[in-house]
Amino acid sequence: MFTMQPIGFVRSPFQITQAVPKGLGARHEEEGTIEILPEFEAGLMDVEGFSHLFVIWAFDRSEGYELVGRPPTDDRPHGVFATRSPRRPNPIGLTVVELLRRDGAVLHVRGVDMLDGTPILDIKPWLTGVAPEKLRRGWLDEAEQRPK
Amino acid sequence: MFTMQPIGFVRSPFQITQAVPKGLGARHEEEGTIEILPEFEAGLMDVEGFSHLFVIWAFDRSEGYELVGRPPTDDRPHGVFATRSPRRPNPIGLTVVELLRRDGAVLHVRGVDMLDGTPILDIKPWLTGVAPEKLRRGWLDEAEQRPK
């Protein structure tokens, strides 16, 4: 077992789950801030050089998990590890955000999809290595192409 | 505080830290397997449709953390949140792997950079949204361009 502690918290426009654009294909253009706790601020050194960051966070308002469920983007069930469902065995969320600017311990970012007050567990620079033509998106492509 | 449990373990060719190609720019082409525990196998339904997966894992052999340190790719110090150092406030690792095939609870993948036996915390489909021309890589670009 591993015990994780918040390194900071998100400020986002989303107060309730229903307000967050849902599904793997949802566009997330909302701006928000990531406020790192003072004791971890030194760890942000040079983060401002990256255009995009991985933000790893906790689904703190989700309870329990469901191994197979129906995501908002499809009317068919899929395994939790093939979706971004909040009801996961470990309630870990992952978001790629665009870093707009840094003010000390506060990161101004675009692309938040977390609820206001969500605890942040980690931040890492985002670097891709996957060429777009090598990417397959599984059931999501099928669901998007299916007539509504 | 959040408590996380392994959902499975990695089998990789790397028995010791020194064997893993290091640094943000390192190429990871090694193949390995992700073996999901039987009680979580149902959560893999439809995962085989995705070419790439996020694997979220625990640095289980790392102790303590260092907010500022010198990564293997540079001779200058950087904040932990601008690097992939294992010595993080929450010892969470993140790897994008290519899914080669699935055999039941076993995912055969390319691109492992974890030690053999590393505990897996979560798996999510990898979908990008960031255009290459919008990406900046901060200190890493500088370090790579600096004469060696």
Side-chain angles (χ1 to χ4, degrees):
Chain A
M1 303 290 267
F2 301 92
T3 305
M4 309 283 180
Q5 58 182 321
I7 61 162
F9 296 88
V10 175
R11 292 294 153 217
S12 97
F14 306 122
Q15 300 299 329
I16 53 168
T17 307
Q18 291 71 20
V20 182
K22 285 297 188 322
L24 285 168
R27 303 285 302 172
H28 297 117
E29 297 289 341
E30 291 287 345
E31 294 184 15
T33 57
I34 293 170
E35 306 184 5
I36 300 298
L37 296 170
E39 60 266 40
F40 298 113
E41 180 178 345
L44 292 175
M45 177 185 174
D46 294 335
V47 84
E48 55 272 14
F50 292 89
S51 59
H52 294 79
L53 300 173
F54 283 121
V55 180
I56 298 173
W57 45 278
F59 284 105
D60 63 323
R61 276 155 275 185
S62 176
E63 280 182 33
Y65 65 88
E66 194 178 45
L67 290 178
V68 174
R70 206 159 45 85
T73 27
D74 203 354
D75 52 7
R76 303 181 187 190
H78 303 289
V80 67
F81 303 126
T83 76
R84 300 203 151 184
S85 163
R87 307 195 57 216
R88 321 184 68 78
N90 292 305
I92 300 175
L94 176 63
T95 304
V96 177
V97 297
E98 181 179 356
L99 180 60
L100 301 174
R101 70 180 194 280
R102 175 183 165 196
D103 290 334
V106 179
L107 304 177
H108 296 262
V109 300
R110 179 181 291 132
V112 293
D113 61 354
M114 312 80 148
L115 292 178
D116 189 47
T118 290
I120 303 296
L121 302 178
D122 202 1
I123 292 174
K124 298 176 192 287
W126 191 86
L127 306 160
T128 185
V130 181
E133 67 273 15
K134 287 194 69 182
L135 184 65
R136 286 180 302 118
R137 306 193 310 150
W139 65 265
L140 182 67
D141 277 339
E142 293 169 29
E144 284 179 357
Q145 285 159 22
R146 210 174 295 145
K148 299 280 187 262
Chain B
M1 304 289 267
F2 301 92
T3 304
M4 309 283 180
Q5 60 182 320
I7 60 161
F9 296 89
V10 176
R11 292 296 154 215
S12 97
F14 306 122
Q15 300 299 329
I16 54 168
T17 308
Q18 291 72 20
V20 182
K22 286 297 188 323
L24 283 170
R27 303 285 300 172
H28 296 116
E29 297 290 340
E30 291 287 345
E31 294 185 15
T33 56
I34 293 170
E35 305 184 5
I36 299 299
L37 297 171
E39 61 266 41
F40 298 114
E41 180 178 343
L44 293 175
M45 177 183 174
D46 293 337
V47 84
E48 56 272 14
F50 293 89
S51 59
H52 293 79
L53 300 173
F54 283 122
V55 181
I56 299 173
W57 45 278
F59 284 104
D60 62 324
R61 277 155 275 186
S62 177
E63 280 184 32
Y65 66 88
E66 195 178 45
L67 290 178
V68 174
R70 205 158 46 84
T73 27
D74 203 354
D75 52 7
R76 302 180 187 190
H78 303 288
V80 67
F81 303 126
T83 76
R84 299 202 153 185
S85 164
R87 305 194 58 215
R88 320 183 69 78
N90 292 306
I92 300 176
L94 176 63
T95 303
V96 177
V97 297
E98 182 179 355
L99 179 60
L100 301 174
R101 70 179 194 281
R102 174 183 167 196
D103 289 334
V106 179
L107 304 178
H108 296 262
V109 300
R110 178 181 290 132
V112 292
D113 61 353
M114 312 80 148
L115 292 177
D116 189 47
T118 291
I120 304 296
L121 302 179
D122 203 1
I123 291 174
K124 298 177 193 287
W126 191 86
L127 306 161
T128 185
V130 181
E133 67 274 14
K134 287 195 69 182
L135 185 65
R136 285 180 303 117
R137 305 193 310 148
W139 65 264
L140 182 66
D141 278 339
E142 293 169 30
E144 285 180 356
Q145 285 159 23
R146 211 174 293 144
K148 299 280 186 259

